Amino acid sequence: MKWRLVRALLLLPGMGLLVIPGTLLWLTSGTAWTWAWAAPDHVQFWAALLVGGLGLFFFVWTIGLFAREGHGTPAPWDPPAKLVLRGPYRHVRNPMIASVLLLLLAETLALQSWALASWLVFFFTVNAIYFPLVEEPELERRFGEDYRIYKVHVPRWIPRPRPWSGL
């Protein structure tokens, strides 16, 4: 299980959070879209720490829940065998993607980069299209009525204030 999880993390979040942003920063270096570290005397620095810490907390929590509760990984080729309905999944259907978005926002703020801001918007847009068209129909097929009930009560992106206690 550990190797399955490490492979999934290296290939998916590793690409989206490290390889692609690093490539964008390298490609835009010396252009009008170049980047610069936010200094501790700038609000972007502290916002990046706060948002990044929150994103990392939820990222680790949701990955752990996928492995322990769902017996799977975040990878589409090795999905959880069991529907995970605990922790942040009681507030929002996609806390893992939300945590990646928070981490991308933290990178964008810390590095003050328009290229990373563009990547953040593109990443969200692709996921906003992918989830309703591909992932959610697949989850309905795999988990049936339980997922349909969950989907009605728990929003896709904006967390509900109080946790859902159904199922």
Side-chain angles (χ1 to χ4, degrees):
M1 175 59 161
K2 286 185 181 181
W3 171 242
R4 290 170 39 207
L5 188 57
V6 168
R7 185 178 58 198
L9 292 175
L10 288 175
L11 290 174
L12 294 175
M15 289 295 287
L17 289 168
L18 299 172
V19 174
I20 293 172
T23 302
L24 288 171
L25 293 174
W26 177 71
L27 289 172
T28 59
S29 186
T31 71
W33 280 46
T34 197
W35 60 277
W37 285 102
D41 60 339
H42 290 100
V43 71
Q44 295 97 318
F45 176 85
W46 298 103
L49 280 179
L50 176 67
V51 169
L54 191 62
L56 186 59
F57 173 78
F58 281 108
F59 182 77
V60 170
W61 190 8
T62 56
I63 295 293
L65 285 171
F66 254 43
R68 283 189 314 277
E69 303 282 327
H71 308 290
T73 73
W77 61 84
D78 189 15
K82 184 179 169 196
L83 184 60
V84 178
L85 301 174
R86 292 180 36 148
Y89 291 93
R90 294 174 61 200
H91 295 270
V92 65
R93 290 198 311 260
N94 297 297
M96 196 175 306
I97 294 296
S99 68
V100 170
L101 290 167
L102 289 172
L103 290 167
L104 286 173
L105 177 59
E107 288 179 352
T108 300
L109 291 168
L111 298 170
Q112 302 178 79
S113 168
W114 284 107
L116 293 186
S118 298
W119 168 237
L120 170 64
V121 170
F122 179 78
F123 183 83
F124 174 75
T125 303
V126 167
N127 280 286
I129 294 167
Y130 172 78
F131 275 90
L133 294 180
V134 178
E135 182 158 301
E136 288 180 358
E138 173 60 20
L139 291 168
E140 285 183 25
R141 185 189 66 71
R142 285 185 22 238
F143 299 118
E145 191 61 24
D146 284 350
Y147 185 75
R148 282 187 278 282
I149 292 168
Y150 172 69
K151 194 167 92 165
V152 167
H153 292 84
V154 179
R156 183 181 295 131
W157 299 113
I158 308 297
R160 57 182 283 145
R162 290 184 296 168
W164 180 63
S165 58
L167 294 181

